[in-house]
Amino acid sequence: RLAGEAAVEAPDDPLPRYRRELGRALGRHLRTTDALALVARSPRFIDAAIGVAARRREVFDLLVEVGLGAGTVPPSLLFAVARRWLGEAVRRA
């Protein structure tokens, strides 16, 4: 859809418009999934995320949206999971 709109609205050079609109549509989601892919290497982080999601329905729903390719993780959720992750690391130490 974005490519078609760019071709109609900028027929002489649609690529810059397409790139800009694609970045607006997917950029934040792709940055989110890149970051999650890095931290997901830690089973303890995954356990912490599941623990937060088990107690908070909105977190569960958000993680499902991210998994389906539509959502992003707000900083408040990232901090909640990181707090739990770090808290568990301190208790283990």
Side-chain angles (χ1 to χ4, degrees), residues 1-11 14 17-18 21:
R1 176 183 65 83
L2 296 175
E5 289 173 0
V8 168
E9 295 181 19
R17 179 179 174 82
Y18 173 67
E21 295 305 318

Side-chain angles (χ1 to χ4, degrees), residues 48 55 83-93:
R55 291 189 324 277
R83 195 170 39 250
R84 181 181 176 107
W85 184 26
L86 292 173
E88 289 175 4
V90 168
R91 283 190 293 279
R92 282 190 305 274

Side-chain angles (χ1 to χ4, degrees), residues 11-79:
D12 294 333
D13 190 14
L15 189 57
R17 179 179 174 82
Y18 173 67
R19 284 183 175 158
R20 185 177 62 249
E21 295 305 318
L22 188 63
R24 285 182 183 155
L26 295 177
R28 187 167 180 217
H29 174 74
L30 293 176
R31 286 188 298 277
T32 295
T33 55
D34 283 350
L36 288 175
L38 287 174
V39 296
R41 293 178 183 173
S42 166
R44 290 186 175 130
F45 183 87
I46 297 299
D47 291 345
I50 291 169
V52 172
R55 291 189 324 277
R56 295 177 51 189
R57 176 61 187 230
E58 72 275 11
V59 172
F60 175 84
D61 292 343
L62 192 115
L63 291 175
V64 169
E65 285 182 32
V66 169
L68 293 174
T72 59
V73 177
S76 60
L77 172 57
L78 181 60
F79 291 131

